[in-house]
Amino acid sequence: MATPATTEKKVPKVAVTVKDVAPDRFIVSYAAHLKKSGKIDLPKWVDIVKTGKHKELAPYNPDWYYIRAASMARKIYLRGGIGVGAFKKIYGGAQRNGSKPSHFSKGSGSIARHILKQLEKVKVVEQDSKGGRRLTTIGQRDLDRIAGKVAKQ
């Protein structure tokens, strides 16, 4: 005679990846994880630096560095092989020139470089032999774990 436990169908667990969750919710969750872990060292200039020459002021959010790091980790997850130059282009924006026309301006390379070095120190990313950075297996596991938590919420 069959017991009730053997007659129930098991529902397969579906793996949730970073691609399956909303980017804004994932980035906020991963930024909170990075801040809570305490493995990323904030530079001493984090509260006074602008994020590009097209900006007039420093970011208002005191946790902007962790949010940028989470965003960069997500970008590397989705499209490996990204380097500092690509991040400068991604985080660039319109530079307003007063009465003259606006033009595109690249973002800060030193911020991108420092964040990539911090993510390498935590072993989330590593240098790619073809150029740029790529995600490590440890980094992919962490990002997918956070994505699973975000999907459950």
Side-chain angles (χ1 to χ4, degrees):
M1 188 163 169
T3 62
T6 57
T7 57
E8 294 178 12
K9 287 189 173 183
K10 288 187 177 181
V11 178
K13 290 186 178 181
V14 178
V16 178
T17 65
V18 175
K19 296 178 182 182
D20 299 330
V21 296
D24 55 340
R25 291 178 51 210
F26 172 77
I27 289 171
V28 169
S29 297
Y30 191 58
H33 168 73
L34 290 174
K35 184 175 181 179
K36 190 175 76 173
S37 72
K39 294 180 180 176
I40 290 188
D41 300 330
L42 292 179
K44 59 186 173 191
W45 43 258
V46 74
D47 56 341
I48 56 173
V49 72
K50 299 190 314 180
T51 57
K53 69 175 195 154
H54 60 283
K55 295 289 187 179
E56 294 183 8
L57 298 171
Y60 290 124
N61 189 341
D63 294 335
W64 72 269
Y65 192 83
Y66 296 108
I67 292 171
R68 177 68 60 96
S71 172
M72 289 174 70
R74 181 182 174 275
K75 286 282 186 192
I76 293 171
Y77 184 99
L78 297 176
R79 193 179 111 199
I82 301 178
V84 174
F87 281 119
K88 284 173 67 171
K89 199 177 293 184
I90 289 168
Y91 295 112
Q95 180 171 1
R96 303 192 323 248
N97 297 321
S99 60
K100 297 175 285 195
S102 299
H103 295 288
F104 179 79
S105 177
K106 290 183 179 178
S108 173
S110 64
I111 294 173
R113 195 173 306 107
H114 193 272
I115 289 174
L116 287 172
K117 285 181 181 179
Q118 292 297 312
L119 290 174
E120 280 182 26
K121 190 180 87 171
V122 182
K123 304 208 183 319
V124 174
V125 298
E126 63 187 4
Q127 292 207 352
D128 195 357
S129 60
K130 300 174 189 172
R133 304 295 203 287
R134 66 177 177 178
L135 216 58
T136 61
T137 53
I138 297 167
Q140 184 172 355
R141 184 177 63 226
D142 283 351
L143 268 65
D144 285 339
R145 185 172 44 81
I146 299 295
K149 287 181 181 178
V150 169
K152 288 180 183 178
Q153 292 176 350

